[in-house]
Amino acid sequence: MFLHIPTKEVKPYELSLNTSHGTSLLKLACLCLYRKKQRGAKMKEMGLLLLFFSVACGKVTGLGPPGKPTLTNCRSPEKETFTCWWKPGPDGGLPTTYALYYLKDNSETVYECPDYHTAGRNSCFFNKNETSVWVNYNITVVATNKMGRTFSDPVDVDVAYIVQPHTPENVTVNVMEDEGWPFLRVSWESPHKADIRSGWITLVYELRSKMEGEEEWEEHFPGQQKTFNIFSVRSGSSYLVQVRCRPDHGFWSEWSPTTKTKVPKFFLGRSLWILILVFSILVVLILAWIIYMNCHSLKHSILPPVPGPKIKGFDHQRLKNGSYKDGLGALMIPEYPPSSSSNDDDLLVEYLEVFVTGEQDISMEEGKEIQDHYCKSESSTCDSDSGHGSCDSHTLLIDKCKETSKDELNSNCEDASEIIELEISQNNQDEKTLSYDGRPDTCNGRVKTWPSVFTPLPQYTLSAIPQKSSLEIVKQHCLSDTLFPPGSMSSNLVNQNESFGPSYWEFSLNSKQLPQIHSQSSKHLQAYSDINISKKDNEITTLFKSTQYVEVKNVNNKDMVLLQPVESGSQSHAEGCPHVHQGKDYSKVKGVNSDKMLLLESGVNVMGQETATCFCDKSETNHKHPPMQTVLPVQEEQKPFAANGYVDTATMFSVPM
Amino acid sequence: LVCSSGSCVSLRRVGTWIESAENEKTEKNCVSVCVQEQQVAPSRNHIGRVNRNCHTSSILTPNDKENAQRMTREELTEVILKLLVAWREPLWHFEQRLRPQSLETSDRAAQVGRMVHEVRSGVQRVAQKMQMLGMIGNFVSGLSSPEAQAPSESSEWQLLQNWDLLHCLRRDANKVQNYLKILKCRIVPEYGC
C-alpha cells in the first residue's frame, strides 16, 4: 500500500488505534522518528521517545497474542442443557479463534466445547449428553491467534445453580365478574421445556400489572399456581400484565411479553342488575305499604265507624249463631242469674207473687214483669181467711205452716221451702212417700209454687233436674206461674156452689202435666204446685207428680167430698195419659171432728187401673171415678177456702199420718 | 443467600411430602452459614483448581434426569437416606470446629445439623410407611452403611476445609431435595406436580 506521508508533523504520542490504517500510521510515525534520530538531533530525547514508541508500536498493532476473553455467563433453561457465553478480548489484529475447554469434577481430562454454533457467536452449547448436574464444571476459554493464545479466567459452574427458565407461555387475561364488579383473571403455562410434571424442576411465578399510562407496576406472587385474579380493576381502563418464573434455586426468567386487556365501560354484572332490581322492588313495596297504612287511617278519619246496636244483657252473637233453639232461650243470658255483685239496676228482680184472690182468680202481683224469670217466691203468712192457695207438695211445709205463727211462718216458710226443695230433690224418685194430705199450704197467703219438676221424673228429663238448682227450678216454676193463664187452672171443683164448706177442700190434680223442663215447650206452663185450681171448663194445665194426690172428685149430695187419688204417673199434655196407677199413700177422710176439721187418714194402696183419672182430655175428667172415695163431711158454715176451692189447711185440718 | 465470598447453604425442610412454595425473599426455613473463603493455594496449573472431593462422592447418585427417572422408588429412597446419614457426623464435627472461631457461625452450623437430622428421620418414617402400604419394596435404611464406610470417610471429611465442606453440604442438600421431589411426583402426582 502506498503510504501517504502527511506534511504536518506527527506527534509521537498520538497513536491511533484504529485498524489497519491506524497501525500504518503508527508505523509511519515510528519510521519518521527513526529517521529523525539518524539525523542526529537530540540523541537522548530521541532515545526515550524511540523506546516509548517501540513498545507502543509493538502493543497497539496487535501483532501479538490475542486479548483475554471473559466468560460472561452460563445458563441452563431446564437443568438438562446449558450454554456458556464469553466475551472476546481485544484481538491482536490477527484473526483469533476461541476455544472452550472444561474440566469435570476433579478429573484431569480436558474436554472441549461440543457446540459453538447453536447458541450463537461466542457461545458454547452443552447438550443433554454432555450435561451432568451436581458436577463442577471448570470452564476456560482460550483465544488463539498467530501471535499466541490467551486464556480466560476459569469459572466453576454447577448446572444445578444456573437454571434460568424461559418465560411463561400463553399468558391470557380475561375480564370476569364477581358480584357485579369486574376483575381480571390471568392464566399462563410453564415454559414448555421445563419438566415440572416429573418433579425435576419446581417453578414459582411472579406477576405484575399496571394500568395503561401508569408508572409503577403492581407485583403479585401466585407461587406455584398458574392462575391469578386481580381485583383492583377499574372500568373503562386498559391493563398490562406480565408474568415470569424461577426455579427454587435459580434465576428469574424474563418477563413475558405484555398482555393488554381493556375492561369495558359500564361494566355491570348480571348480579348487580339483579341487586338493583330487588332494591327497587323493595322500595316500591315499602311505598305501597306506607300508602296502605295511611289509607286505613284515612278511612277512619273520613268514615268513622258506626257503633253497632247494643242491648244490655242481650247476647247478639248467640242469637246470630242460632244457638238459641227456642225463643225463650234467646232471651236468656247465660250468666243469669247474676251474682250478688251484679248490678241490680240492670235486673228487675222480681218477686213472683202468686196468690189467689177473689173468684177463682189468681192475682199475680208483679208477675208479669219478669224479665229473666228471676223470681223469688216469697213466703206468705198463712191467713186463715185468705184463701190463698198454697203451693206445697210436702207435708213438712204444711206442718210448719200450720204450727207456727204468722211471722214464723214467714220465715219458716222460706226455710221450709228450701228444705222441702231439698227433700224434693232428694226424693225425686220417691214421690210416693210424700204424703200429701192435700192441704194447701198458704204461707203468707200466697201460693207457693213448686216446680213440678220434682215430681214427674220418669217421664221427663231426669238428668235435667239435678242440674238445675232449686232456684232455677223455682224460676221455672214461677215462670210457669206467670204464664199460667189466670183461670186456666182447672180444678175439680165439684161444685161452685156454696155447699162447699170450709171443712172440705178440694183440689184437683191434673194428671196432665205440663212439661216444664223442656226448653222447647217453654210455652207450656211448668207445672207446679199440686194445687191446681181449675175451673170447670178450664183446662187442666199443670200437673205433676210422683206425689200422691187426692183429688176431689165430686161432692155428693150429702155434702161429702169425694176424694180420689190421682195417678202418680205424670204425663205431658200432649202425650196423653198413661199410667199405671201405683199404689201409693193417700189420704182418706176419716171424718170431721167437732172442731170442724176434716180428719184424713192415710191409706195405702189403691189400685185399679181405673183409678187413674186420666185427664188427658177434659171430657174425661168428669167421667172416671176412682173406686175409692172418701167422703168428707162438709161444713157449710165454714168456708175456709175461697170460692176458688182453696182450702186453708192450716186452720182447718189436721192430718193424721 | 450469598455470602461475601463464601458459600451459603440453604436447606429447606423436606419433612413432609408437600413442599411449601416459599417466596425467595422470605426464606423462613433457610439457614445461611457463611464461612470465609480460604486462601486458595496456588494451583498447579492455571487451568484447574484444587479439586474438592466430597466424602459423599463415593455414593452413586443420578446426575441427570434420565438416570434419575430410570431408578426405582426403592433405589431413590436408598440414595436419599444414604446421603442424609452420611452428613450426620461431619456436621457435628464442623460445628465443633467452628466454635472457637465464631459462636454465631457455630450455632448456625448446629442448626443446620439439626435440620438435616429432622429431614432424615422424616424420610425414614415416610419410607417405612410406604413400605407398609406396599408402595415400595425393601430398601436399605442406610443406617448400617456409615459404619462400614466410616473409617475411610472420617479421614476424608476431616481434611476438608470449612468452605469445601459447606460446598459439599450445599450440593448434597440440593440432591436430596430434588430426589425427594421426583419420588413425590411419582408416588402422589396430584400434590402439585
Side-chain angles (χ1 to χ4, degrees), chain A residues 110-221:
Chain A
V110 179
Y111 303 92
E112 195 181 343
C113 173
D115 188 338
Y116 290 103
H117 305 288
T118 310
R121 203 173 155 83
N122 298 327
S123 69
C124 179
F125 175 76
F126 296 82
N127 61 12
K128 279 191 185 178
N129 298 331
E130 300 273 321
T131 310
S132 302
V133 192
W134 301 296
V135 167
N136 193 37
Y137 282 78
N138 194 299
I139 299 171
T140 317
V141 176
V142 177
T144 316
N145 65 3
K146 282 184 188 169
M147 297 291 292
R149 56 188 193 171
T150 318
F151 291 89
S152 66
D153 292 328
V155 165
D156 286 311
V157 168
D158 194 333
V159 178
Y161 309 123
I162 57 162
V163 182
Q164 186 182 25
H166 294 303
T167 66
E169 297 169 359
N170 286 347
V171 180
T172 58
V173 182
N174 292 318
V175 181
M176 301 186 80
E177 168 240 334
D178 171 49
E179 292 178 2
W181 302 110
F183 70 94
L184 298 177
R185 166 159 286 170
V186 190
S187 61
W188 58 90
E189 286 168 17
S190 62
H192 66 278
K193 284 218 176 133
D195 187 357
I196 296 175
R197 291 211 172 262
S198 65
W200 186 243
I201 293 182
T202 309
L203 292 176
V204 292
Y205 301 95
E206 188 187 343
L207 185 148
R208 71 177 184 183
S209 65
K210 73 172 181 180
M211 208 156 66
E212 202 175 12
E214 267 183 10
E215 288 284 327
E216 299 288 322
W217 286 93
E218 194 179 306
E219 290 182 350
H220 309 277
F221 291 95

Side-chain angles (χ1 to χ4, degrees), chain A residues 233-447:
Chain A
V233 169
R234 215 185 293 172
S235 298
S237 314
S238 290
Y239 283 87
L240 310 171
V241 173
Q242 285 183 326
V243 188
R244 67 175 183 180
C245 59
R246 174 182 72 86
D248 41 8
H249 299 277
F251 301 98
W252 281 109
S253 69
E254 295 293 328
W255 286 107
S256 65
T258 308
T259 312
K260 189 168 156 185
T261 329
K262 185 167 163 94
V263 182
K265 256 190 184 179
F266 305 120
F267 184 90
L268 285 174
R270 190 201 298 187
S271 55
L272 203 65
W273 280 117
I274 291 168
L275 201 71
I276 290 167
L277 192 71
V278 167
F279 185 71
S280 55
I281 287 168
L282 269 174
V283 168
V284 166
L285 281 173
I286 288 167
L287 281 171
W289 182 76
I290 288 167
I291 288 165
Y292 176 70
M293 293 307 291
N294 287 343
C295 195
H296 254 277
S297 62
L298 276 173
K299 244 196 245 175
H300 276 285
S301 60
I302 291 169
L303 305 166
V306 177
K310 194 173 180 185
I311 296 170
K312 278 183 182 169
F314 196 86
D315 193 352
H316 295 269
Q317 285 305 317
R318 279 195 66 185
L319 185 63
K320 279 182 193 173
N321 293 342
S323 60
Y324 295 102
K325 299 214 174 145
D326 52 349
L328 184 65
L331 295 174
M332 288 171 67
I333 290 182
E335 61 270 15
Y336 269 91
S339 58
S340 57
S341 61
S342 63
N343 189 2
D344 286 340
D345 290 341
D346 288 337
L347 305 171
L348 293 174
V349 177
E350 291 298 328
Y351 291 129
L352 178 64
E353 298 176 358
V354 179
F355 52 91
V356 179
T357 56
E359 309 275 333
Q360 303 176 358
D361 286 329
I362 300 169
S363 65
M364 305 203 179
E365 287 185 4
E366 305 169 356
K368 291 164 188 162
E369 292 183 49
I370 290 177
Q371 275 226 334
D372 296 312
H373 49 269
Y374 178 83
C375 57
K376 194 168 31 168
S377 63
E378 193 176 317
S379 60
S380 57
T381 57
C382 301
D383 296 333
S384 60
D385 65 339
S386 64
H388 293 298
S390 66
C391 47
D392 180 18
S393 60
H394 299 278
T395 53
L396 189 60
L397 182 60
I398 292 164
D399 288 343
K400 287 209 172 174
C401 277
K402 186 174 67 181
E403 288 160 51
T404 58
S405 64
K406 279 190 184 180
D407 290 340
E408 283 177 292
L409 272 175
N410 283 338
S411 57
N412 284 343
C413 280
E414 290 289 338
D415 298 335
S417 65
E418 288 172 16
I419 294 165
I420 288 164
E421 277 185 4
L422 285 171
E423 275 196 355
I424 289 168
S425 58
Q426 287 167 8
N427 296 331
N428 269 339
Q429 306 284 340
D430 190 13
E431 292 94 352
K432 300 164 198 175
T433 59
L434 293 171
S435 60
Y436 186 79
D437 63 351
R439 204 188 316 195
D441 179 24
T442 59
C443 285
N444 302 332
R446 301 206 181 150
V447 175

Side-chain angles (χ1 to χ4, degrees), chain A residues 28-177:
Chain A
L28 191 64
C30 290
L31 205 62
C32 291
L33 279 169
Y34 188 71
R35 279 204 180 152
K36 272 188 178 177
K37 182 188 168 185
Q38 281 179 343
R39 282 184 191 166
K42 298 169 183 179
M43 286 300 285
K44 283 186 182 172
E45 290 139 15
M46 287 300 164
L48 282 168
L49 278 169
L50 194 68
L51 189 67
F52 175 71
F53 278 121
S54 61
V55 169
C57 283
K59 278 202 175 170
V60 169
T61 55
L63 289 173
K68 191 174 170 182
T70 50
L71 276 164
T72 52
N73 59 348
C74 297
R75 288 289 182 263
S76 168
E78 76 286 80
K79 209 154 77 172
E80 293 167 52
T81 64
F82 73 104
T83 312
C84 284
W85 292 271
W86 67 84
K87 180 184 161 189
D91 62 1
L94 295 164
T96 316
T97 56
Y98 297 89
L100 189 141
Y101 299 101
Y102 63 90
L103 292 155
K104 274 178 93 167
D105 216 17
N106 306 326
S107 74
E108 296 290 333
T109 320
V110 179
Y111 303 92
E112 195 181 343
C113 173
D115 188 338
Y116 290 103
H117 305 288
T118 310
R121 203 173 155 83
N122 298 327
S123 69
C124 179
F125 175 76
F126 296 82
N127 61 12
K128 279 191 185 178
N129 298 331
E130 300 273 321
T131 310
S132 302
V133 192
W134 301 296
V135 167
N136 193 37
Y137 282 78
N138 194 299
I139 299 171
T140 317
V141 176
V142 177
T144 316
N145 65 3
K146 282 184 188 169
M147 297 291 292
R149 56 188 193 171
T150 318
F151 291 89
S152 66
D153 292 328
V155 165
D156 286 311
V157 168
D158 194 333
V159 178
Y161 309 123
I162 57 162
V163 182
Q164 186 182 25
H166 294 303
T167 66
E169 297 169 359
N170 286 347
V171 180
T172 58
V173 182
N174 292 318
V175 181
M176 301 186 80
E177 168 240 334

